[in-house]
Amino acid sequence: MQFWQGFLLITSVHLLAAASPGPDFVMVTQQTLLHGKRTGLWCALGIALGLGVHIAYSILGLAATIAHSLPLLQAVKLAGGAYLLYLGYQGLRARAVPVAHPPAEALEAAPAPAPATQTPTAWKSLVKGFFCNVLNPKAPLYFVSMFTVVLSPDLPAGQLIFYGLWMMVLQLAWFGTVVLVLSHPQLQTAFKRFSVWIDRVCGAAMALLGLKVLSTLR
């Protein structure tokens, strides 16, 4: 396969895979709507870095080992499903922060009310996105297809590494675009009033995804 043929093939296939609904999309949507653009971008970077883990073991030829080993695949599913349930539990237990109503004469001097949810640190957002992607149980199956069916395993290591890095860039670009769209000031203003319900709905989606993964354990 010629370099540019593989490049175009990787670009089209991986963009379709990145755009498909899944835990990563739910995570980025939740974090951006609740905490804004900065948090969403850190989460997107964590997802892209998590993708690098899958790419690394795929280049080393371990994706096929994981995908065809029932104990390993079950362990990945168990860890991924449990993590999704944990994220879902965190979202479902979200509570609104009661806001006191001071006297009218004190309104001007009153500080701004506290947000319904505390903005996480950049590190916490990055780690959350990283593990959301690393523990995705569908990833080994996707990458064994990518690096054996779409790409020839006989390609030079340097070319495979370049393709892997390019997939990380595509992942970051896609979710960065999602963040920029969802962090538009008008959307942020509209959704701030429903922040707790956004947390709960996204938490329910994560929990359902986790249950779906765990239901495939045999």
Side-chain angles (χ1 to χ4, degrees), residues 144-169:
V144 73
S145 300
M146 179 66 77
F147 281 88
T148 57
V149 178
V150 179
L151 297 176
S152 170
D154 299 326
L155 288 174
Q159 191 169 337
L160 289 175
I161 291 172
F162 178 85
Y163 287 153
L165 292 174
W166 177 239
M167 282 190 279
M168 293 175 66
V169 171

Side-chain angles (χ1 to χ4, degrees), residues 59-214:
I59 291 175
L60 294 173
L62 298 178
T65 301
I66 296 173
H68 293 98
S69 170
L70 184 59
L72 284 176
L73 194 56
Q74 298 291 66
V76 171
K77 287 182 178 181
L78 181 61
Y83 186 63
L84 289 174
L85 284 178
Y86 167 72
L87 294 175
Y89 170 74
Q90 284 190 318
L92 289 170
R93 67 191 290 267
R95 294 290 183 270
V97 176
V99 179
H101 298 282
E105 60 271 14
L107 285 177
E108 292 185 3
T117 54
Q118 184 178 2
T119 301
T121 63
W123 174 251
K124 186 175 181 179
S125 301
L126 186 142
V127 169
K128 184 175 285 190
F130 177 82
F131 281 109
C132 185
N133 187 272
V134 167
L135 296 176
N136 186 345
K138 293 184 179 180
L141 299 174
Y142 167 70
F143 280 99
V144 73
S145 300
M146 179 66 77
F147 281 88
T148 57
V149 178
V150 179
L151 297 176
S152 170
D154 299 326
L155 288 174
Q159 191 169 337
L160 289 175
I161 291 172
F162 178 85
Y163 287 153
L165 292 174
W166 177 239
M167 282 190 279
M168 293 175 66
V169 171
L170 289 174
Q171 194 89 354
L172 182 59
W174 164 252
F175 284 115
T177 302
V178 172
V179 170
L180 292 178
V181 171
L182 295 179
S183 61
H184 189 278
Q186 291 183 344
L187 279 177
Q188 285 285 297
T189 301
F191 282 113
K192 282 296 182 184
R193 294 178 297 172
F194 307 103
S195 59
V196 172
W197 289 106
I198 291 172
D199 220 345
R200 291 174 181 174
V201 169
C202 290
M206 287 287 193
L208 288 174
L209 287 170
L211 290 173
K212 183 178 179 181
V213 170
L214 293 178

